Amino acid sequence: MRILGIETSCDETGVAIYDKQNGLLVNKIYSQITLHADYGGVVPELAARDHIRKLAPLISLTLKESKLNINEIDAVAYTAGPGLISSLLVGASLGHALAFSLKIPAIPINHLEGHIFAPFLEKKKPSFPFLALLISGSHTQLIKVINVGIYELLGDSLDDAVGESFDKIAKLLGFDYPGGAMLSNLALQGLKGRFTFPRPMTDRPGLDFSFSGLKTYAANMINNHNKDDQSRADIAYAFEDAIIDTLMIKCKRAIQQTKIKQLVVVGGVSANNTLRSRFQKITRTLAVEIFYARPEFCTDNGAMIAYAGMVKLDQNDKKIRTENSLLSINVNPYWSLTELLFSDK
Ligand code: KG4
Ligand code: ZN
């Protein structure tokens, strides 16, 4: 059983082939970062047009590298939401067209579910139930993963997502979009203790997050201090430290509340090395096992979508499209983990 995975929810065109027997065969990614750099963020119309240009050639390249014939693909999994609607439609349309022509199923995948499954692409895999901390450019969520498709949202962002906050402060520090990783690099030169930033919403119970106040705090610090390299690094350090600390406090709470001893940390920000080394403390103090995906599977990619497709096929998921149902293509830019893909209304 071989699944072709397609990811086009934002500014990465991702294609991969996952083989149930042999694991991941090929994973190809085309990033649009340079296309959007001048605008300081993703321009949806440009993103969709670029997916149109890049997706079909990337599928051909993926097949070529896998040495498979297109007829040896058994299903197509594609990201159906959440994400930018025009970009989602590119992957969904091509995915459905391919499935229709090959007479194979098309599987709509929730992008967040894709991220949650990314650590299963590694040797060290979690088992159900586990907690997931999803930290990406558009989401900050704590999720109780009871089983495939059975999720309980324990905490969510009330405003800016972690990745978004990283990118906005990185921009004020002079980095191009998306500057999260560069901010983190700069923070390595920062002095501990020169600045201490607030840990938002940790002084009250609950598992929700809010980073917009911290962002404003950091922005004011940048405006009120010299722009010399050491000050920039010290502010980057204090900002990253506050974010990591806040995430750790909420994860500890979720672990204590649910008594679940496995934590997966996923999404683009989980590639952050400082975060990974700080999170080791949770392993020690709470006897919790932590699971990550390798950095290329933390940010958006086709491999996690192909893998999620295999899981959905195994479960005979209700959303799988076959035969005539392949002719109707739906995406949902606001598809939450705990909702059906399309409402009945
Ligand atoms: O999961 P992802 O590729 O896209 C979404 O689904 O949103 O996450 C992208 C986000 C960006 O905000 C990027 O700056 C952030 O992940 N990111 C990082 C690092 N690597 C990527 N943030 C902090 N440190 C990193 N090393
Ligand atoms: Zn993502």
Side-chain angles (χ1 to χ4, degrees):
M1 179 68 76
R2 297 184 194 96
I3 292 100
L4 179 80
I6 298 176
E7 158 61 36
T8 61
S9 68
C10 191
D11 57 349
E12 249 103 34
T13 315
V15 178
I17 299 174
Y18 192 89
D19 181 325
K20 195 172 173 186
Q21 275 75 45
N22 302 310
L24 186 66
L25 300 184
V26 184
N27 179 52
K28 303 296 294 175
I29 190 98
Y30 173 80
S31 172
Q32 301 180 352
I33 283 178
T34 49
L35 180 71
H36 303 287
D38 288 349
Y39 304 93
V42 178
V43 184
E45 182 61 27
L46 292 182
R49 283 168 190 245
D50 209 48
H51 286 307
I52 292 173
R53 275 191 290 269
K54 300 293 176 0
L55 183 55
L58 205 59
I59 292 174
S60 301
L61 186 65
T62 305
L63 281 165
K64 196 171 159 204
E65 284 194 15
S66 72
K67 302 201 168 51
L68 292 172
N69 185 290
I70 196 158
N71 295 313
E72 293 173 281
I73 298 295
D74 300 293
V76 180
Y78 63 93
T79 304
L84 303 170
I85 187 159
S86 44
S87 290
L88 290 168
L89 277 168
V90 177
S93 307
L94 194 46
H96 272 251
L98 212 56
F100 185 76
S101 67
L102 296 168
K103 299 188 172 53
I104 58 177
I107 316 163
I109 299 295
N110 183 302
H111 181 80
L112 310 180
E113 207 172 14
H115 275 303
I116 290 174
F117 286 134
F120 286 89
L121 292 161
E122 305 300 344
K123 268 206 190 89
K124 184 185 163 197
K125 301 179 203 313
S127 53
F128 298 103
F130 57 83
L131 289 172
L133 174 68
L134 169 60
I135 37 179
S136 69
S138 36
H139 289 84
T140 311
Q141 295 187 330
L142 258 167
I143 304 143
K144 182 171 163 184
V145 181
I146 300 156
N147 211 325
V148 177
I150 311 175
Y151 309 113
E152 194 183 316
L153 190 59
L154 303 176
D156 203 349
S157 169
L158 303 182
D159 39 58
D160 297 47
V162 174
E164 187 183 359
S165 309
F166 260 103
D167 295 341
K168 285 180 177 166
I169 297 307
K171 193 173 171 189
L172 295 179
L173 288 169
F175 296 115
D176 279 347
Y177 174 87
M182 287 178 274
L183 184 154
S184 183
N185 240 352
L186 177 66
L188 294 175
Q189 315 302 324
L191 293 174
K192 187 179 176 179
R194 177 168 169 208
F195 301 111
T196 305
F197 286 12
R199 274 64 174 150
M201 292 183 73
T202 53
D203 58 349
R204 68 200 82 168
L207 297 171
D208 285 337
F209 304 91
S210 165
F211 289 108
S212 88
L214 174 62
K215 209 186 59 194
T216 309
Y217 192 95
N220 287 338
M221 282 290 174
I222 295 168
N223 289 335
N224 296 337
H225 285 83
N226 291 335
K227 305 276 187 292
D228 62 282
D229 287 347
Q230 192 57 53
S231 295
R232 286 170 67 247
D234 295 346
I235 290 172
Y237 177 91
F239 175 73
E240 183 177 58
D241 191 51
I243 294 228
I244 295 174
D245 222 25
T246 305
L247 295 173
M248 274 175 64
I249 291 169
K250 300 283 169 154
C251 283
K252 278 188 205 161
R253 268 187 206 169
I255 291 161
Q256 279 156 350
Q257 190 177 307
T258 59
K259 314 245 176 331
I260 292 176
K261 294 285 188 177
Q262 291 183 98
L263 173 68
V264 313
V265 187
V266 293
V269 183
S270 69
N272 185 299
N273 284 329
T274 309
L275 180 143
R276 289 186 182 208
S277 62
R278 291 276 307 280
F279 263 64
Q280 272 184 353
K281 204 170 159 207
I282 296 185
T283 318
R284 288 195 299 272
T285 55
L286 298 178
V288 166
E289 238 188 316
I290 307 191
F291 300 82
Y292 300 97
R294 73 194 78 168
E296 66 193 281
F297 298 154
C298 292
T299 43
D300 292 348
N301 65 86
M304 66 185 194
I305 303 302
Y307 183 86
M310 188 205 66
V311 171
K312 297 287 162 186
L313 264 185
D314 275 351
Q315 287 225 323
N316 203 8
D317 190 89
K318 286 200 295 288
K319 290 185 282 295
I320 294 175
R321 302 302 192 96
T322 53
E323 298 175 23
N324 289 341
S325 74
L326 282 168
L327 293 171
S328 88
I329 300 169
N330 288 298
V331 294
N332 180 348
Y334 303 108
W335 187 11
S336 100
L337 262 182
T338 48
E339 267 171 30
L340 294 172
L341 178 52
F342 315 113
S343 81
D344 293 332
K345 282 176 232 146

